[in-house]
Amino acid sequence: MAFWLSKSRSISSLLGKRIGLLTILHERNKGSFLHSRRDGVFRYKNSPEFSTKSATFSATGQRFKSSKTGEQVELPSSDEDDDENQAVDFPGGRVAFTSRMNFTSESSGKRIPCFRVLDDNGYPIAGSIFEQVNKEVAVRMYSGMVTLQIMDTILYETQRQGRISFYLTSTGEEAINLASAAALSPDDVVLPQYREPGVLLWRGFTLQEFANQCFGNKADYGKGRQMPIHYGSQKHNYFTVSSPIATQLPQAAGVAYSLKMDKKDACVVTYMGDGGTSEGDFHAALNFAAVTEVPVIFICRNNGWAISTPITEQFRSDGVVVRGQAYGIRSIRVDGNDALAVYNSVRTARQTAINEQRPILIEALTYRVGHHSTSDDSTKYRAVDEIEHWKTAQNPVSRFRKWVQGNGWWTDEDESEFRSNIRKQLMEAIQLAARKEKPPIANLFTDVYEENPPNLVEQERSLGETIKKHPQDYPSDVPL
Amino acid sequence: MSAILRKIIAPGGIPAWGIRVIASRTYSSSAGGKEMTVRDALNSALDEEMSADPSVLLMGEEVGEYQGAYKISKGLLDKYGPKRVIDTPITEAGFTGMAVGAAYHGLRPVVEFMTFNFSMQAIDHIINSAAKSNYMSSGQISVPIVFRGPNGAAAGVGAQHSQCYAAWYASCPGLKVLVPYNSEDARGLLKAAIRDPDPVVFLENELLYGESFPISAEALDSSFCLPIGKAKIEREGKDVTIVAFSKMVGYALKAAEILAKEGVSAEVINLRSIRPLDRATINTSVRKTNRLVTVEEGFPQHGVGAEICASIVEESFEYLDAPVERITGADVPMPYAANLERMAVPQVEDIVRAAKRTCYRSVPVAVNA
């Protein structure tokens, strides 16, 4: 067939409008697919039945629609060798032919540019268009970033002192945390990975509540069931942190599906790191979200490292942003250390996600200044100067501070006063949390199911009896 | 006889050899009563629950347009539309994760696995995201989800389509694991599972889908529900207790018939639920008969029978007059060839022999499954 077509190049242009054949084909296929902008086009059809859209499927007609890839896209008319502009209807839609065998390159050569609004010194870049934040929001964002910094420093030390078993910092990613949180509404549901406590902080989680969870005491909302930093709060619409990587991504698509069914004016926001995008769940989640057309924002904190795996060993694509298009998802790459850029992109993403009921992918480029966690010493696999550089020259907190101070909304006195204030508050919260009672033993048995099953009721009773009989073998500071 | 039987069995291929009589149980009791296939029972249960509660969704591969890989969801897409009957892309991990997320936010998804063998690709979401969530979130995140699909051996489908997952899922706290046998079980237990606030693993059996069982008017009512965690005594007896679940209940009943002719009165228990396990019913029965045979299709090590045996030894040791006999599938991945497959799953004769062994009437050549 192809042979015949290439030979008939001149014939096809002759065929043009002069022969009814084309008109016949044209008539039959009207309205169901693209029209080329050129005349004299020879069209080749698979089979007549396909064009008449016979109702092979049930009354819903759903399946036929789904064999197209969404909206019909006009083929760009290229002037080069596509004179014939032949096209064929395959499942999934119409594709143009080309007689030149061309492998799409593994990289587009040019990397997708990164959206930023403030330069390294905190000055708005000339000509940049962005939504301003007012003083109140800016100060709240900035102070949140500072609070997160202090929280991280002190709680990390607390682990080092052996008072809590584990901690994970978000150092270097404060802008992503607070700016994205500021761009959302409290009704938006957040499914975090684990490096986003700033989002919870923005929403009103107190230092005391953070400390309680880390110490696993009686006041912990998790009833002492989770290791530190696995915060969760239903009333703040922040799902409990879950350790396995990327499992929150398809879950987020599911939550978004539920929101869509409820027709709520809210979206889902879920976070992951660069490493998380290698998980199968990432692929499934994005694919699903696109197919089911749900309002979910996938925010990837590309901080360059997945424990000791640098991104050069994580993937070979141009980062994460290019993958969005592969799933049919609108995406953007943003400077994750620029609080205003993050704020703007998340605001727009949110509006789009809700108004158009579609998923969005945001890749926020940043750097993981701290170690992966308290179980890691990153100087073992990366240069200390590299870490220092990002800690100082590229610090998102000081960059935003320069902008906020530049607007006259913050002073050096405010800074030192605020920092010492937070430090004091946090130290007190930690003291209180450490002194507070541990959760009662009853919590061992509850919540496995909605209702306690008889075997657990029996075990709890039996344990209670044993403790009563041998109180000396039982720690006195743990309540029943 | 066998030709007729073959026709009645579900479109899944040639059934395993051996005599199988449909509804051997209580044909005599409900004269002129209604009959229903397990497939229709499941379909009607899904239909009624989806009709009663708009937050119930069904999702899985082929559940919509194709009417279900085994036609369990026939007619549901037309009735409830594509928003509630969702044909998913081929990613068990993806759609299970998505369903769990939807359940987190208040929907009540029913996730269909084409077979539970494929659930292994989603098992992290079933265990880590669903089973443990209520506990780990201290009650803030409840997961009212049902995972259902065919489990265990079918006929001639080989190792990757024949594994039984009852023991795997039942070992996990936070899950409930149900195993219906007949149509009444299918209806009552599926409705109970959908209404339950905890994650439920609902293990069906492909070869039972096409089998027809008598069904009472009570079971046909749309409010009919069976309690989760209660076993059923399918046949009363006094000499030996045979505990089985799913398809093996049918085999156990057949074995009981054969044993009765030889003067051994077997009590057959249909577990209906593996987690929670109805230890009380099993123990009461063993205290009466003093002998126990457990039957399952799954692999022998760490199987359901092992757990039941441990439970009896812990609770009713003095009552045992003979060691507990476990009949299980062979300790090999399921072979494909029909003769090999037959040797790898329990047969009625195996149950009969085991029961006789517990009654001190062993046969010289005892071939264990």
Side-chain angles (χ1 to χ4, degrees):
Chain A
M1 188 51 94
F3 168 83
W4 179 76
L5 284 173
S6 62
K7 282 248 174 215
S8 67
R9 215 179 166 115
S10 49
I11 300 172
S12 69
S13 51
L14 276 177
L15 282 175
K17 281 188 203 153
R18 295 170 200 178
I19 299 188
L21 170 68
L22 260 125
T23 340
I24 294 168
L25 285 173
H26 198 74
E27 276 315 299
R28 264 219 313 229
N29 303 326
K30 215 193 307 232
S32 67
F33 49 76
L34 320 149
H35 298 270
S36 163
R37 294 192 190 125
R38 294 167 172 273
D39 291 331
V41 165
F42 178 83
R43 287 216 190 82
Y44 155 91
K45 291 294 294 158
N46 271 350
S47 67
E49 297 84 69
F50 198 87
S51 66
T52 54
K53 276 200 226 178
S54 58
T56 337
F57 299 98
S58 68
T60 59
Q62 178 77 5
R63 183 52 66 85
F64 189 83
K65 258 197 262 162
S66 68
S67 73
K68 305 287 184 206
T69 48
E71 292 254 327
Q72 292 294 348
V73 174
E74 280 283 334
L75 288 173
S77 53
S78 61
D79 297 320
E80 285 139 21
D81 63 308
D82 291 325
D83 281 339
E84 300 108 274
N85 231 348
Q86 298 139 35
V88 135
D89 273 285
F90 274 110
R94 164 157 275 256
V95 278
F97 272 144
T98 167
S99 48
R100 274 231 290 254
M101 180 173 70
N102 206 6
F103 281 75
T104 313
S105 172
E106 69 276 10
S107 92
S108 70
K110 210 166 88 134
R111 295 197 64 182
I112 304 267
C114 178
F115 172 60
R116 64 148 50 170
V117 150
L118 295 177
D119 66 19
D120 285 346
N121 292 317
Y123 288 113
I125 297 169
S128 58
I129 302 165
F130 61 97
E131 184 189 324
Q132 281 269 21
V133 300
N134 62 23
K135 175 180 177 183
E136 192 199 327
V137 174
V139 169
R140 194 173 155 205
M141 257 167 64
Y142 177 70
S143 50
M145 287 162 74
V146 173
T147 308
L148 181 55
Q149 264 191 336
I150 294 173
M151 214 174 85
D152 276 348
T153 313
I154 295 183
L155 284 170
Y156 185 91
E157 283 311 310
T158 312
Q159 192 277 344
R160 282 290 175 248
Q161 291 163 11
R163 301 172 77 194
I164 58 177
S165 66
F166 178 82
Y167 194 73
L168 234 211
T169 63
S170 311
T171 318
E173 302 180 48
E174 296 88 352
I176 297 176
N177 266 256
L178 272 304
S180 65
L184 302 173
S185 92
D187 289 331
D188 297 325
V189 184
V190 174
L191 278 88
Q193 174 75 68
Y194 46 56
R195 228 180 276 281
E196 303 91 15
V199 177
L200 197 50
L201 186 63
W202 173 273
R203 287 187 167 192
F205 216 57
T206 64
L207 293 174
Q208 189 65 62
E209 287 168 320
F210 279 112
N212 288 340
Q213 199 283 330
C214 286
F215 279 86
N217 62 28
K218 194 166 80 164
D220 167 28
Y221 295 149
K223 294 185 194 164
R225 303 231 178 95
Q226 290 266 21
M227 49 190 284
I229 72 99
H230 286 64
Y231 316 110
S233 175
Q234 200 174 34
K235 67 174 190 250
H236 296 107
N237 264 329
Y238 189 94
F239 272 78
T240 311
V241 172
S242 172
S243 308
I245 300 289
T247 53
Q248 71 280 7
L249 303 178
Q251 290 166 7
V255 176
Y257 193 85
S258 173
L259 281 182
K260 182 176 165 132
M261 280 187 89
D262 288 344
K263 295 195 174 45
K264 279 196 116 140
D265 177 26
C267 68
V268 178
V269 179
T270 184
Y271 298 81
M272 78 215 82
D274 39 286
T277 66
S278 294
E279 281 277 359
D281 274 349
F282 170 81
H283 157 83
L286 264 66
N287 193 36
F288 246 100
V291 167
T292 49
E293 294 170 10
V294 289
V296 52
I297 306 175
F298 295 101
I299 300 183
C300 174
R301 294 174 292 96
N302 183 344
N303 62 19
W305 293 92
I307 310 191
S308 68
T309 309
I311 47 175
T312 47
E313 284 170 38
Q314 193 68 249
F315 37 66
R316 286 298 150 88
S317 51
D318 170 19
V320 175
V321 64
V322 289
R323 303 197 204 165
Q325 191 176 51
Y327 296 107
I329 293 182
R330 203 169 291 174
S331 342
I332 188 172
R333 166 173 280 160
V334 72
D335 179 350
N337 289 351
D338 178 346
L340 286 183
V342 173
Y343 178 85
N344 270 265
S345 50
V346 176
R347 285 282 282 182
T348 306
R350 180 180 184 275
Q351 271 150 23
T352 312
I354 296 174
N355 295 339
E356 293 181 43
Q357 291 289 299
R358 57 163 67 243
I360 306 281
L361 173 65
I362 298 179
E363 178 186 18
L365 297 180
T366 180
Y367 188 83
R368 191 197 79 208
V369 171
H371 307 306
H372 165 72
S373 72
T374 49
S375 315
D376 175 45
D377 174 11
S378 60
T379 58
K380 291 220 151 59
Y381 50 80
R382 54 183 187 176
V384 180
D385 336 330
E386 180 188 302
I387 306 174
E388 269 312 302
H389 167 75
W390 286 93
K391 192 169 178 177
T392 50
Q394 295 286 349
N395 188 317
V397 184
S398 42
R399 189 160 152 207
F400 192 52
R401 176 181 172 181
K402 289 189 184 120
W403 184 76
V404 175
Q405 283 200 218
N407 285 343
W409 295 339
W410 192 258
T411 63
D412 287 344
E413 291 80 49
D414 289 332
E415 178 83 8
S416 45
E417 192 188 320
F418 186 78
R419 280 190 183 262
S420 73
N421 226 333
I422 292 293
R423 208 169 286 128
K424 189 157 141 287
Q425 268 181 53
L426 185 54
M427 295 306 295
E428 279 169 12
I430 290 175
Q431 299 287 46
L432 232 105
R435 275 204 309 267
K436 207 179 266 275
E437 268 188 332
K438 291 299 180 206
I441 291 290
N443 278 352
L444 180 62
F445 302 100
T446 52
D447 299 322
V448 182
Y449 298 98
E450 183 93 352
E451 273 181 38
N452 261 20
N455 65 322
L456 291 183
V457 170
E458 171 52 37
Q459 284 173 30
E460 188 185 347
R461 188 201 60 77
S462 148
L463 178 61
E465 270 183 17
T466 312
I467 294 171
K468 231 187 282 174
K469 247 193 258 175
H470 312 276
Q472 72 282 0
D473 296 330
Y474 185 73
S476 54
D477 63 341
V478 184
L480 283 175
Chain B
M1 177 62 150
S2 58
I4 299 166
L5 282 172
R6 216 155 272 197
K7 250 208 280 199
I8 295 163
I9 279 129
I14 302 163
W17 291 26
I19 304 164
R20 260 208 277 140
V21 175
I22 303 143
S24 56
R25 184 170 55 102
T26 48
Y27 231 3
S28 51
S29 65
S30 52
K34 285 200 70 178
E35 282 213 348
M36 194 181 224
T37 59
V38 171
R39 175 179 291 114
D40 289 340
L42 294 168
N43 183 275
S44 62
L46 279 169
D47 193 354
E48 285 162 23
E49 292 306 303
M50 288 182 77
S51 163
D53 183 349
S55 66
V56 177
L57 321 167
L58 174 65
M59 66 171 80
E61 292 152 11
E62 310 300 319
V63 296
E65 289 281 356
Y66 195 76
Q67 312 296 318
Y70 299 98
K71 306 295 182 244
I72 306 294
S73 50
K74 185 158 169 219
L76 296 181
L77 174 64
D78 282 343
K79 193 164 174 189
Y80 298 102
K83 292 213 177 337
R84 293 184 65 196
V85 179
I86 305 165
D87 275 324
T88 63
I90 307 179
T91 161
E92 277 74 11
F95 65 70
T96 307
M98 189 196 153
V100 172
Y104 282 174
H105 203 256
L107 292 180
R108 302 186 84 95
V110 175
V111 177
E112 174 171 312
F113 290 114
M114 204 174 281
T115 92
F116 263 92
N117 295 273
F118 307 151
S119 74
M120 290 197 288
Q121 293 179 287
I123 202 165
D124 175 67
H125 279 295
I126 298 174
I127 308 293
N128 279 332
S129 300
K132 299 180 184 171
S133 279
N134 199 48
Y135 190 76
M136 293 182 81
S137 72
S138 66
Q140 292 185 87
I141 302 177
S142 101
V143 195
I145 195 170
V146 176
F147 304 102
R148 50 159 291 272
N151 174 63
V157 287
Q160 293 174 335
H161 293 77
S162 307
Q163 192 167 335
C164 174
Y165 291 87
W168 281 31
Y169 288 120
S171 73
C172 190
L175 283 182
K176 291 182 177 163
V177 181
L178 302 179
V179 279
Y181 162 58
N182 57 21
S183 310
E184 183 179 310
D185 288 354
R187 264 183 67 79
L189 292 177
L190 185 54
K191 285 157 86 63
I194 293 174
R195 296 180 198 182
D196 198 281
D198 298 308
V200 179
V201 170
F202 193 82
L203 304 173
E204 302 160 3
N205 186 290
E206 187 198 323
L207 297 177
L208 286 176
Y209 284 152
E211 274 204 37
S212 209
F213 295 92
I215 192 149
S216 63
E218 185 205 352
L220 285 170
D221 186 71
S222 66
S223 64
F224 176 66
C225 232
L226 283 175
I228 291 180
K230 288 294 299 160
K232 179 173 184 196
I233 302 193
E234 292 284 349
R235 180 191 174 117
E236 295 212 0
K238 54 181 183 54
D239 292 333
V240 57
T241 302
I242 306 178
V243 177
F245 61 92
S246 189
K247 189 149 121 295
M248 293 292 117
V249 176
Y251 281 30
L253 289 169
K254 193 70 210 48
E257 288 279 338
I258 296 173
L259 287 163
K261 292 194 185 80
E262 306 194 26
V264 175
S265 155
E267 178 149 293
V268 176
I269 299 182
N270 170 8
L271 278 178
R272 283 181 166 175
S273 164
I274 313 273
R275 183 184 255 271
L277 189 61
D278 191 351
R279 296 167 209 273
T281 301
I282 304 170
N283 274 282
T284 308
S285 173
V286 171
R287 289 178 183 210
K288 182 173 74 167
T289 65
N290 310 121
R291 295 172 190 87
L292 176 61
V293 175
T294 69
V295 191
E296 66 196 288
E297 277 191 311
F299 298 135
Q301 194 165 341
H302 311 300
V304 175
E307 175 63 31
I308 295 175
C309 179
S311 174
I312 295 298
V313 163
E314 284 161 7
E315 310 275 335
S316 311
F317 182 64
E318 322 80 68
Y319 291 84
L320 282 173
D321 283 350
V324 174
E325 292 269 352
R326 286 184 293 171
I327 303 294
T328 70
D331 199 19
V332 298
M334 182 71 72
Y336 164 75
N339 62 326
L340 297 180
E341 186 183 45
R342 186 184 185 285
M343 299 299 289
V345 282
Q347 303 298 331
V348 175
E349 307 83 67
D350 298 315
I351 307 175
V352 171
R353 272 197 295 268
K356 284 186 185 169
R357 277 197 300 272
T358 63
C359 297
Y360 325 118
R361 291 197 238 172
S362 59
V363 232
V365 178
V367 179
N368 281 5

